[in-house]
Amino acid sequence: MSEEAKWYVVHTYSGYENKVKANIEKLIENRKLQDQIVEVIVPLHKVLEDKNGQRKEVEKKLYPGYVILKMLMNDETWYVVRNTRGVTGFVGPGSKPVALTEAEIKTMGIDLHITKMDVAIGDTVTVTDGPFDGSVGVVKEIHDHKRTVIVNLSIFGRETPVELDFSNMVKV
């Protein structure tokens, strides 16, 4: 590929951001477009909220109604994204998608760098967060575009595949 993937913004129905992200990721897998649609994100930020007298930190969407994609723009990728259920269109004049500039990405305050994990299939990792905190398992699959890995953990004496975020584990 001579061109480099650029960041584009897609407008979605309100409340459908995560569903659109999941649908696009499924299409990427089914159509083997991993090298053309590199990353799909719904930017989040942490907010303190008071509920029933308790102060809690919750994650909220930074840009409700929008999903950000890093992709090579061509007829196939445009068609796949544009026709995903919940997508109303790309952001840009008329029907022409406009890529974000580096300056725009920085001013949006979003960390859009893909995190490469220093793990390989077969490596042993320890879970550092969530319900399986402290569990040790073996990496079976790596999904860089989703920032997740599938790890086989021993749960109730059985090998069970669990999807973990890169940030919720460390290599042993």
Side-chain angles (χ1 to χ4, degrees):
M1 295 270 148
S2 58
E3 330 169 40
E4 196 175 316
K6 292 185 170 67
W7 290 101
Y8 293 90
V9 179
V10 174
H11 191 263
T12 69
Y13 293 127
S14 185
Y16 275 71
E17 302 88 355
N18 292 327
K19 189 100 177 114
V20 165
K21 179 181 190 274
N23 289 343
I24 291 172
E25 286 172 345
K26 191 61 125 177
L27 287 166
I28 291 169
E29 235 168 270
N30 292 345
R31 293 180 179 231
K32 309 219 179 314
L33 294 171
Q34 290 90 337
D35 58 336
Q36 294 179 56
I37 303 176
V38 183
E39 191 171 7
V40 184
I41 63 168
V42 176
L44 301 171
H45 68 289
K46 291 182 184 339
V47 177
L48 288 176
E49 261 187 13
D50 288 325
K51 273 193 181 172
N52 304 330
Q54 297 283 324
R55 182 160 260 197
K56 285 190 175 170
E57 189 175 68
V58 293
E59 286 193 329
K60 294 237 178 191
K61 292 176 186 81
L62 196 52
Y63 300 104
Y66 296 94
V67 173
I68 300 175
L69 301 116
K70 186 170 190 174
M71 61 187 271
L72 294 173
M73 185 58 71
N74 59 41
D75 289 344
E76 184 183 13
T77 57
W78 180 88
Y79 182 83
V80 165
V81 173
R82 180 65 189 90
N83 291 295
T84 300
R85 175 183 243 151
V87 171
T88 58
F90 279 93
V91 172
S95 61
K96 187 181 187 310
V98 176
L100 293 172
T101 64
E102 284 295 318
E104 288 171 324
I105 292 167
K106 284 188 178 111
T107 58
M108 289 170 77
I110 306 169
D111 179 18
L112 295 175
H113 299 291
I114 294 178
T115 313
K116 289 276 185 203
M117 270 302 287
D118 182 28
V119 293
I121 292 172
D123 284 352
T124 302
V125 296
T126 302
V127 182
T128 58
D129 193 24
F132 305 110
D133 189 6
S135 300
V136 176
V138 177
V139 176
K140 292 297 176 195
E141 297 175 32
I142 299 172
H143 301 282
D144 283 325
H145 68 283
K146 288 171 62 178
R147 296 181 177 169
T148 61
V149 293
I150 304 293
V151 176
N152 270 3
L153 297 177
S154 179
I155 301 172
F156 302 120
R158 280 204 168 133
E159 286 286 305
T160 307
V162 175
E163 187 172 30
L164 297 173
D165 192 75
F166 282 177
S167 62
N168 294 347
M169 52 168 226
V170 291
K171 189 174 169 181
V172 178

